Amino acid sequence: MSQHEIEKSGSSQSRRSYFDDPDINGPVVTPCRNLTLHERFSEKAAKFPDTPAIISDDGNYTYEQVEKLSNALARKISELTDGKSSFVGISMERSALVVVGILSIIKAGSAYVPLDPTYPKERLHDMLADTKDPIVITTSNLKPVFADHDVLIL
Protein backbone atom coordinates (compact mmCIF):
# COMPACT_ATOMS: atom_id res chain seq x y z
CA MET A 1 0.00 0.00 0.00
CA SER A 2 1.52 3.33 -1.03
CA GLN A 3 1.43 6.49 1.06
CA HIS A 4 -0.94 7.99 -1.50
CA GLU A 5 -3.37 5.06 -1.04
CA ILE A 6 -3.20 5.46 2.73
CA GLU A 7 -3.96 9.17 2.50
CA LYS A 8 -6.98 8.43 0.34
CA SER A 9 -8.18 5.53 2.47
CA GLY A 10 -8.47 6.93 5.95
CA SER A 11 -8.05 9.46 8.66
CA SER A 12 -4.81 10.98 9.84
CA GLN A 13 -4.96 8.53 12.76
CA SER A 14 -4.82 5.53 10.41
CA ARG A 15 -1.93 7.11 8.49
CA ARG A 16 -0.03 7.76 11.69
CA SER A 17 -0.66 4.23 12.93
CA TYR A 18 0.57 2.72 9.69
CA PHE A 19 3.81 4.72 9.58
CA ASP A 20 4.52 4.31 13.31
CA ASP A 21 3.87 0.56 13.29
CA PRO A 22 7.12 -1.15 14.44
CA ASP A 23 6.10 -4.38 12.69
CA ILE A 24 6.17 -2.53 9.37
CA ASN A 25 8.85 0.12 9.78
CA GLY A 26 10.96 -1.07 12.72
CA PRO A 27 10.98 0.57 16.13
CA VAL A 28 9.62 4.06 16.50
CA VAL A 29 12.54 6.45 16.94
CA THR A 30 12.31 9.33 19.35
CA PRO A 31 13.17 12.73 17.90
CA CYS A 32 16.74 14.01 18.16
CA ARG A 33 17.44 16.30 21.11
CA ASN A 34 19.48 18.94 19.23
CA LEU A 35 22.71 16.99 19.60
CA THR A 36 25.46 17.03 17.03
CA LEU A 37 26.52 13.87 15.25
CA HIS A 38 29.57 13.38 17.43
CA GLU A 39 27.60 14.09 20.62
CA ARG A 40 25.04 11.43 19.62
CA PHE A 41 27.86 9.00 18.89
CA SER A 42 29.55 9.70 22.25
CA GLU A 43 26.23 9.24 24.03
CA LYS A 44 25.71 5.90 22.33
CA ALA A 45 29.30 4.85 23.12
CA ALA A 46 28.69 5.58 26.81
CA LYS A 47 25.49 3.49 26.84
CA PHE A 48 26.67 0.59 24.67
CA PRO A 49 30.49 0.49 24.79
CA ASP A 50 30.85 -3.16 23.75
CA THR A 51 28.29 -3.05 20.94
CA PRO A 52 29.72 -3.19 17.42
CA ALA A 53 29.68 0.27 15.84
CA ILE A 54 31.45 -0.65 12.60
CA ILE A 55 31.40 -4.06 10.98
CA SER A 56 33.49 -4.32 7.84
CA ASP A 57 35.76 -6.64 5.90
CA ASP A 58 38.86 -4.96 7.33
CA GLY A 59 37.80 -5.21 10.97
CA ASN A 60 35.07 -4.71 13.52
CA TYR A 61 35.11 -1.85 16.00
CA THR A 62 32.98 -1.37 19.11
CA TYR A 63 31.53 2.00 20.06
CA GLU A 64 34.15 2.30 22.80
CA GLN A 65 37.02 1.61 20.37
CA VAL A 66 35.75 4.13 17.83
CA GLU A 67 35.17 6.69 20.58
CA LYS A 68 38.72 6.31 21.96
CA LEU A 69 40.37 6.37 18.53
CA SER A 70 38.34 9.35 17.31
CA ASN A 71 38.92 11.32 20.54
CA ALA A 72 42.69 10.77 20.36
CA LEU A 73 42.83 11.83 16.72
CA ALA A 74 40.53 14.81 17.35
CA ARG A 75 42.90 16.01 20.09
CA LYS A 76 45.85 15.74 17.68
CA ILE A 77 43.94 17.67 15.00
CA SER A 78 43.06 20.37 17.55
CA GLU A 79 46.74 20.65 18.54
CA LEU A 80 47.83 21.06 14.92
CA THR A 81 45.14 23.64 14.17
CA ASP A 82 45.61 25.52 17.47
CA GLY A 83 42.00 24.72 18.32
CA LYS A 84 40.70 26.75 15.37
CA SER A 85 38.31 25.23 12.89
CA SER A 86 39.95 24.48 9.59
CA PHE A 87 39.90 22.10 6.68
CA VAL A 88 41.27 18.61 7.23
CA GLY A 89 41.82 16.38 4.24
CA ILE A 90 41.14 12.68 4.45
CA SER A 91 42.59 10.34 1.87
CA MET A 92 42.18 6.64 2.49
CA GLU A 93 41.10 3.56 0.69
CA ARG A 94 37.65 2.42 1.77
CA SER A 95 37.85 0.99 5.25
CA ALA A 96 36.32 1.22 8.69
CA LEU A 97 38.99 3.76 9.61
CA VAL A 98 37.46 6.30 7.22
CA VAL A 99 34.55 6.54 9.67
CA VAL A 100 36.98 7.08 12.55
CA GLY A 101 38.78 9.79 10.58
CA ILE A 102 35.65 11.69 9.63
CA LEU A 103 34.28 11.49 13.18
CA SER A 104 37.62 12.80 14.50
CA ILE A 105 37.57 15.76 12.15
CA ILE A 106 34.03 16.65 13.18
CA LYS A 107 34.92 16.34 16.88
CA ALA A 108 37.84 18.72 16.35
CA GLY A 109 35.41 21.30 14.95
CA SER A 110 36.89 21.15 11.47
CA ALA A 111 35.50 20.43 8.03
CA TYR A 112 36.68 17.37 6.18
CA VAL A 113 37.87 17.44 2.61
CA PRO A 114 37.56 14.04 0.92
CA LEU A 115 40.65 13.38 -1.18
CA ASP A 116 40.17 10.31 -3.37
CA PRO A 117 43.51 8.46 -3.45
CA THR A 118 42.82 7.35 -7.03
CA TYR A 119 42.98 10.98 -8.25
CA PRO A 120 46.18 12.06 -9.98
CA LYS A 121 48.74 13.52 -7.58
CA GLU A 122 48.51 16.93 -9.29
CA ARG A 123 44.72 17.03 -8.77
CA LEU A 124 45.13 16.24 -5.06
CA HIS A 125 47.70 19.02 -4.67
CA ASP A 126 45.37 21.48 -6.42
CA MET A 127 42.54 20.52 -4.06
CA LEU A 128 44.82 21.03 -1.08
CA ALA A 129 45.94 24.41 -2.40
CA ASP A 130 42.28 25.46 -2.77
CA THR A 131 41.71 24.69 0.90
CA LYS A 132 44.85 26.54 2.05
CA ASP A 133 46.95 23.43 2.71
CA PRO A 134 45.00 21.51 5.33
CA ILE A 135 46.24 18.69 7.48
CA VAL A 136 45.77 15.33 5.77
CA ILE A 137 44.70 12.13 7.49
CA THR A 138 45.87 9.13 5.51
CA THR A 139 47.48 5.71 5.77
CA SER A 140 51.21 4.98 5.67
CA ASN A 141 51.08 3.63 2.12
CA LEU A 142 49.60 6.96 0.87
CA LYS A 143 51.90 9.23 2.90
CA PRO A 144 54.35 9.87 0.01
CA VAL A 145 51.53 11.43 -2.03
CA PHE A 146 51.20 14.16 0.62
CA ALA A 147 54.90 14.69 1.45
CA ASP A 148 54.51 18.51 1.25
CA HIS A 149 51.72 18.66 3.87
CA ASP A 150 51.16 17.94 7.56
CA VAL A 151 50.11 14.31 7.59
CA LEU A 152 48.47 12.24 10.34
CA ILE A 153 48.75 8.49 9.80
CA LEU A 154 45.73 6.49 10.88
Side-chain angles (χ1 to χ4, degrees), residues 63-73 75 100 107:
Y63 278 96
E64 181 178 42
Q65 290 170 320
V66 173
E67 182 73 356
K68 285 182 178 178
L69 284 170
S70 63
N71 284 342
L73 188 55
R75 280 191 297 277
V100 174
K107 284 183 176 191

Side-chain angles (χ1 to χ4, degrees), residues 39-149:
E39 290 170 335
R40 297 271 304 170
F41 190 91
S42 295
E43 186 179 79
K44 187 136 184 167
K47 288 181 183 176
F48 308 104
D50 299 324
T51 303
I54 303 171
I55 300 172
S56 70
D57 293 339
D58 61 305
N60 299 338
Y61 296 85
T62 65
Y63 278 96
E64 181 178 42
Q65 290 170 320
V66 173
E67 182 73 356
K68 285 182 178 178
L69 284 170
S70 63
N71 284 342
L73 188 55
R75 280 191 297 277
K76 187 66 176 168
I77 293 167
S78 291
E79 289 172 17
L80 290 172
T81 61
D82 296 323
K84 298 174 185 161
S85 63
S86 65
F87 294 105
V88 177
I90 184 163
S91 182
M92 304 172 84
E93 288 144 2
R94 291 180 186 215
S95 72
L97 292 178
V98 172
V99 176
V100 174
I102 292 171
L103 186 60
S104 302
I105 293 166
I106 294 169
K107 284 183 176 191
S110 294
Y112 71 92
V113 179
L115 302 166
D116 189 329
T118 63
Y119 285 170
K121 191 174 181 177
E122 297 77 26
R123 172 71 179 126
L124 293 171
H125 284 286
D126 288 346
M127 291 172 73
L128 289 168
D130 288 345
T131 57
K132 299 184 177 51
D133 293 322
I135 299 162
V136 178
I137 298 173
T138 190
T139 53
S140 56
N141 63 320
L142 294 173
K143 184 178 179 180
V145 175
F146 303 100
D148 300 335
H149 303 277

